[in-house]
């Protein structure tokens, strides 16, 4: 009946994916000049690993908050804290129907006490090309493993296992 079709159409419309253009977002971040590293599970996805995630995680240079936020603004992503508060807290988020967690610290300790320095990770970064004009900066594999040691959640342990396998397979 038409009532059933209308109900089904409503469900399908409610399930439509966000209009968020991930490629354009990554391009805007790259073009902004912000020193921004994609970390978390989205980085694993870009490396071809079979994990799911619903958000984005970046670690950015402490001096690049405004530049990063400006790159995200055209996508309707609004910061949860101003730059000064974000620096004090060491993190903030950009939000609309998408969610971007932003780590903003010069160094972060792992759960076992290793101090991971942004400047060091940035020097060893790797670019993943998504399109001819779009690269996303990721930590090198060893450094991405270190960032997964910031937490001790079961999914972090699984991610470390997958990254270790990827690392062993990429050695000649």
């Amino acid at each position: 009946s038409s009532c059933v079709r209308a109900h089904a159409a409503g469900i399908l419309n409610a399930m439509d994916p966000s209009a968020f253009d991930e490629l354009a977002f990554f391009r805007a971040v790259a073009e902004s000049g912000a020193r921004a590293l994609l970390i978390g599970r989205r980085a694993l996805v870009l490396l071809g690993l079979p994990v799911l995630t619903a958000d984005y995680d970046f670690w950015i240079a402490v001096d690049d908050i405004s530049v990063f936020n400006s790159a995200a603004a055209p996508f309707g992503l609004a910061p949860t804290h101003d730059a000064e508060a974000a620096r004090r807290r060491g993190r903030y988020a950009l939000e609309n129907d998408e969610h971007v967690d932003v780590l903003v610290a010069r160094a972060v300790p792992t759960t076992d006490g290793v101090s991971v320095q942004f400047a060091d990770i940035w020097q060893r970064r790797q670019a993943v090309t998504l399109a001819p004009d779009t690269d996303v900066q990721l930590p090198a594999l060893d450094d991405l493993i270190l960032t997964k040691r910031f937490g001790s959640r079961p999914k972090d342990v699984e991610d470390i296992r997958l990254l270790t396998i990827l690392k062993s397979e990429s050695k000649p």
Side-chain angles (χ1 to χ4, degrees):
S1 81
S2 62
C3 187
V4 171
R5 281 193 302 273
H7 178 71
I11 290 171
L12 290 176
N13 286 339
M15 293 172 44
D16 282 348
S18 165
F20 186 73
D21 185 338
E22 179 178 86
L23 185 61
F25 173 64
F26 285 145
R27 184 178 305 118
V29 169
E31 290 174 353
S32 75
R35 290 162 293 168
L37 295 168
L38 183 66
I39 60 174
R41 283 197 147 186
R42 188 71 66 177
L44 276 68
V45 169
L46 293 187
L47 291 171
L49 294 174
V51 295
L52 298 174
T53 186
D55 67 355
Y56 300 83
D57 298 278
F58 279 90
W59 187 3
I60 68 171
V62 296
D63 299 326
D64 289 352
I65 296 172
S66 295
V67 173
F68 187 78
N69 290 353
S70 293
F75 300 91
L77 291 162
T80 55
H81 297 280
D82 66 37
E84 195 51 47
R87 274 188 206 92
R88 281 194 309 275
R89 297 180 80 245
R91 63 179 55 244
Y92 69 104
L94 295 167
E95 297 178 323
N96 59 17
D97 59 332
E98 296 293 331
H99 185 89
V100 180
D101 285 313
V102 185
L103 185 60
V104 52
R106 294 186 196 286
V108 178
T110 63
T111 55
D112 55 344
V114 175
S115 180
V116 183
Q117 306 288 319
F118 178 84
D120 295 341
I121 302 272
W122 180 254
Q123 290 298 329
R124 294 186 295 262
R125 72 190 181 276
Q126 61 179 326
V128 173
T129 301
L130 299 183
D133 60 347
T134 308
D135 285 346
V136 177
Q137 302 301 317
L138 306 181
L141 281 178
D142 284 334
D143 293 332
L144 190 54
I145 290 169
L146 277 175
T147 68
K148 297 306 289 181
R149 289 173 42 203
F150 293 164
S152 58
R153 303 168 298 185
K155 73 177 188 176
D156 296 321
V157 173
E158 174 61 11
D159 293 348
I160 289 169
R161 186 185 74 78
L162 292 170
L163 287 166
T164 302
I165 291 168
L166 180 64
K167 182 181 164 190
S168 71
E169 290 175 351
S170 64
K171 287 187 176 176

